[in-house]
Amino acid sequence: MVAKGTQTPRERYRAQVRAEIKERAWAQIATSGAPGLSLNAVAKQMGMSGPALYRYFAGRDELITELIRDAYRGLADAFRAAAASGADLDGLGRALRAWALDDPQRYFLVYGTPVPGYHAPDDVTAIAREIMAVLLDAARLVEGPADGSGLDDHLAEHRQWVGDHPADPAALRRALSFWTRLHGVLSLELAGHFTGMGFDPAVLYGAELDRLAHAVR
């Protein structure tokens, strides 16, 4: 990547336009969702023609990939920063919720309903695995009761989702439980499904996190 100080005026202008296109795309996603993202509509908002915008992004999928890449990288950086400061599973859970609440549309783009016809490239999948690796590292440090459901045995034979991470089956179970249960609470909260129920979703999330962080099944 070219250092910022050595960029030519043309390169700086291109970077600025790409950044504005992404900002407009996020605003459109917030209104109509990722499936409704239209490059022509973004171009019109910016006073450009459709063909002119395609000089910056080859198509809708390339733009969505860039947005997803930025979103995953933001969470990966948040997790790594938390881990570097000594965060355990509890700390990672709090980092996850803070990241999600900071920008719900960003959260839903990567953890909501998949965009029809879109397939993420390998480098995006690699960033998602970075996030999981930080979580697995924390899960390995937690001691808890043995699992009697057979899930540990199943995960021992189905490790594709963790790549070459050396976590044992118990850590795999803890990380998977953390990921599914906390995302379940977050997805319902951010979609507004707790509205009118009369309780604080933060308390529910905290209770789930406490159980997971201290290996209480």
Side-chain angles (χ1 to χ4, degrees):
M1 188 171 75
V2 179
K4 185 176 181 180
T6 62
Q7 285 183 319
T8 66
R10 183 174 182 177
E11 288 169 336
R12 288 196 297 272
Y13 175 75
R14 179 177 178 81
Q16 291 169 358
V17 173
R18 282 174 60 90
E20 183 178 351
I21 290 171
K22 289 196 289 184
E23 289 178 6
R24 301 274 185 173
W26 279 122
Q28 192 179 119
I29 288 172
T31 301
S32 56
L37 179 62
S38 166
L39 267 66
N40 286 331
V42 171
K44 184 176 181 180
Q45 291 173 354
M46 296 179 64
M48 302 170 62
S49 66
L53 187 142
Y54 281 89
R55 291 201 296 267
Y56 298 94
F57 289 96
R60 185 203 66 157
D61 282 4
E62 183 181 333
L63 177 54
I64 289 177
T65 293
E66 190 74 8
L67 299 178
I68 291 176
R69 184 180 289 117
D70 289 350
Y72 271 131
R73 175 50 58 196
L75 181 55
D77 290 347
F79 264 31
R80 289 194 178 281
S85 67
D88 55 8
L89 277 180
D90 184 85
L92 293 181
R94 296 183 188 283
L96 173 62
R97 187 168 190 270
W99 176 84
L101 293 180
D102 182 62
D103 190 339
Q105 292 305 322
R106 176 182 60 185
Y107 175 88
F108 282 124
L109 182 61
V110 293
Y111 295 118
T113 303
V115 179
Y118 173 79
H119 299 284
D122 290 344
D123 71 302
V124 172
T125 304
I127 300 173
R129 283 194 168 175
E130 284 183 41
I131 297 168
M132 185 56 67
V134 176
L135 177 55
L136 286 164
D137 287 341
R140 294 176 74 188
L141 302 178
V142 178
E143 295 183 2
D147 175 65
S149 69
L151 180 56
D152 284 8
D153 292 339
H154 179 77
L155 293 177
E157 300 297 327
H158 298 82
R159 304 177 56 95
Q160 298 92 330
W161 57 284
V162 299
D164 59 359
H165 196 284
D168 61 33
L172 299 182
R173 167 172 46 84
R174 292 186 199 106
L176 188 60
S177 295
F178 177 103
W179 205 237
T180 55
R181 287 165 62 176
L182 293 187
H183 275 301
V185 176
L186 279 173
S187 296
L188 290 170
E189 178 184 1
L190 296 177
H193 292 298
F194 294 143
T195 302
M197 293 182 70
F199 66 85
D200 186 351
V203 177
L204 173 62
Y205 186 90
E208 284 293 290
L209 178 56
D210 186 62
R211 293 186 184 94
L212 292 163
H214 298 93
V216 177
R217 292 192 293 128

Short mmCIF file of all heavy atoms in Angstrom, two decimals, residues 23-34 37 103-106:
data_model
loop_
_atom_site.label_atom_id
_atom_site.label_comp_id
_atom_site.label_asym_id
_atom_site.label_seq_id
_atom_site.Cartn_x
_atom_site.Cartn_y
_atom_site.Cartn_z
N GLU A 23 -19.46 5.88 2.44
CA GLU A 23 -20.33 6.59 3.39
C GLU A 23 -21.77 6.63 2.86
O GLU A 23 -22.73 6.41 3.61
CB GLU A 23 -19.81 8.01 3.62
CG GLU A 23 -18.53 8.07 4.43
CD GLU A 23 -18.03 9.49 4.58
OE1 GLU A 23 -18.75 10.42 4.15
OE2 GLU A 23 -16.93 9.69 5.13
N ARG A 24 -21.91 6.95 1.58
CA ARG A 24 -23.26 6.99 0.97
C ARG A 24 -23.90 5.61 0.97
O ARG A 24 -25.11 5.47 1.17
CB ARG A 24 -23.16 7.52 -0.46
CG ARG A 24 -22.55 8.89 -0.60
CD ARG A 24 -23.56 9.97 -0.44
NE ARG A 24 -22.98 11.28 -0.69
CZ ARG A 24 -23.67 12.42 -0.76
NH1 ARG A 24 -24.99 12.38 -0.57
NH2 ARG A 24 -23.09 13.57 -0.99
N ALA A 25 -23.08 4.60 0.73
CA ALA A 25 -23.60 3.23 0.71
C ALA A 25 -24.10 2.83 2.09
O ALA A 25 -25.18 2.23 2.22
CB ALA A 25 -22.52 2.26 0.24
N TRP A 26 -23.35 3.18 3.15
CA TRP A 26 -23.80 2.87 4.51
C TRP A 26 -25.12 3.57 4.81
O TRP A 26 -26.01 2.98 5.43
CB TRP A 26 -22.75 3.31 5.53
CG TRP A 26 -21.62 2.36 5.73
CD1 TRP A 26 -20.29 2.61 5.56
CD2 TRP A 26 -21.70 0.99 6.16
NE1 TRP A 26 -19.55 1.49 5.84
CE2 TRP A 26 -20.38 0.48 6.22
CE3 TRP A 26 -22.76 0.15 6.49
CZ2 TRP A 26 -20.10 -0.83 6.60
CZ3 TRP A 26 -22.48 -1.16 6.87
CH2 TRP A 26 -21.17 -1.64 6.92
N ALA A 27 -25.26 4.81 4.37
CA ALA A 27 -26.51 5.54 4.60
C ALA A 27 -27.67 4.87 3.88
O ALA A 27 -28.79 4.77 4.41
CB ALA A 27 -26.36 6.99 4.13
N GLN A 28 -27.42 4.38 2.68
CA GLN A 28 -28.46 3.69 1.92
C GLN A 28 -28.83 2.37 2.57
O GLN A 28 -30.01 2.00 2.66
CB GLN A 28 -27.99 3.47 0.48
CG GLN A 28 -29.09 3.03 -0.47
CD GLN A 28 -28.59 2.85 -1.88
OE1 GLN A 28 -28.66 1.77 -2.44
NE2 GLN A 28 -28.07 3.91 -2.47
N ILE A 29 -27.82 1.64 3.06
CA ILE A 29 -28.08 0.38 3.74
C ILE A 29 -28.91 0.60 4.99
O ILE A 29 -29.80 -0.20 5.32
CB ILE A 29 -26.74 -0.32 4.09
CG1 ILE A 29 -26.09 -0.86 2.81
CG2 ILE A 29 -26.94 -1.45 5.09
CD1 ILE A 29 -24.69 -1.38 2.99
N ALA A 30 -28.65 1.70 5.70
CA ALA A 30 -29.41 2.00 6.91
C ALA A 30 -30.88 2.24 6.60
O ALA A 30 -31.76 1.98 7.43
CB ALA A 30 -28.83 3.24 7.59
N THR A 31 -31.17 2.69 5.39
CA THR A 31 -32.54 2.98 4.99
C THR A 31 -33.25 1.77 4.38
O THR A 31 -34.40 1.47 4.73
CB THR A 31 -32.57 4.14 3.98
OG1 THR A 31 -31.98 5.30 4.57
CG2 THR A 31 -34.00 4.46 3.55
N SER A 32 -32.55 1.06 3.49
CA SER A 32 -33.23 0.00 2.73
C SER A 32 -32.58 -1.36 2.85
O SER A 32 -33.03 -2.32 2.22
CB SER A 32 -33.31 0.40 1.25
OG SER A 32 -32.03 0.67 0.71
N GLY A 33 -31.51 -1.48 3.64
CA GLY A 33 -30.85 -2.76 3.80
C GLY A 33 -29.86 -3.04 2.68
O GLY A 33 -29.95 -2.45 1.60
N ALA A 34 -28.93 -3.98 2.93
CA ALA A 34 -27.90 -4.29 1.95
C ALA A 34 -28.46 -4.80 0.62
O ALA A 34 -27.95 -4.45 -0.44
CB ALA A 34 -26.92 -5.30 2.53
N LEU A 37 -29.07 -2.06 -1.92
CA LEU A 37 -27.98 -1.15 -2.27
C LEU A 37 -27.90 -0.98 -3.78
O LEU A 37 -27.84 -1.93 -4.53
CB LEU A 37 -26.65 -1.70 -1.74
CG LEU A 37 -25.41 -0.87 -2.06
CD1 LEU A 37 -25.50 0.51 -1.44
CD2 LEU A 37 -24.16 -1.60 -1.55
N ASP A 103 -22.75 0.73 15.81
CA ASP A 103 -23.26 0.84 14.43
C ASP A 103 -24.05 -0.42 14.08
O ASP A 103 -23.51 -1.38 13.53
CB ASP A 103 -22.09 1.02 13.45
CG ASP A 103 -22.56 1.39 12.05
OD1 ASP A 103 -23.74 1.13 11.72
OD2 ASP A 103 -21.75 1.92 11.27
N PRO A 104 -25.34 -0.44 14.41
CA PRO A 104 -26.16 -1.64 14.16
C PRO A 104 -26.18 -2.08 12.70
O PRO A 104 -26.21 -3.28 12.43
CB PRO A 104 -27.55 -1.21 14.64
CG PRO A 104 -27.27 -0.19 15.70
CD PRO A 104 -26.10 0.58 15.18
N GLN A 105 -26.17 -1.13 11.76
CA GLN A 105 -26.20 -1.53 10.35
C GLN A 105 -24.93 -2.27 9.95
O GLN A 105 -24.97 -3.21 9.16
CB GLN A 105 -26.42 -0.30 9.46
CG GLN A 105 -27.79 0.33 9.61
CD GLN A 105 -28.93 -0.66 9.37
OE1 GLN A 105 -28.83 -1.53 8.48
NE2 GLN A 105 -30.00 -0.55 10.13
N ARG A 106 -23.81 -1.84 10.50
CA ARG A 106 -22.55 -2.55 10.26
C ARG A 106 -22.66 -3.97 10.81
O ARG A 106 -22.22 -4.94 10.17
CB ARG A 106 -21.41 -1.79 10.93
CG ARG A 106 -20.06 -2.47 10.85
CD ARG A 106 -19.00 -1.66 11.59
NE ARG A 106 -19.34 -1.50 13.01
CZ ARG A 106 -18.64 -0.75 13.86
NH1 ARG A 106 -17.59 -0.07 13.42
NH2 ARG A 106 -19.00 -0.67 15.12
#
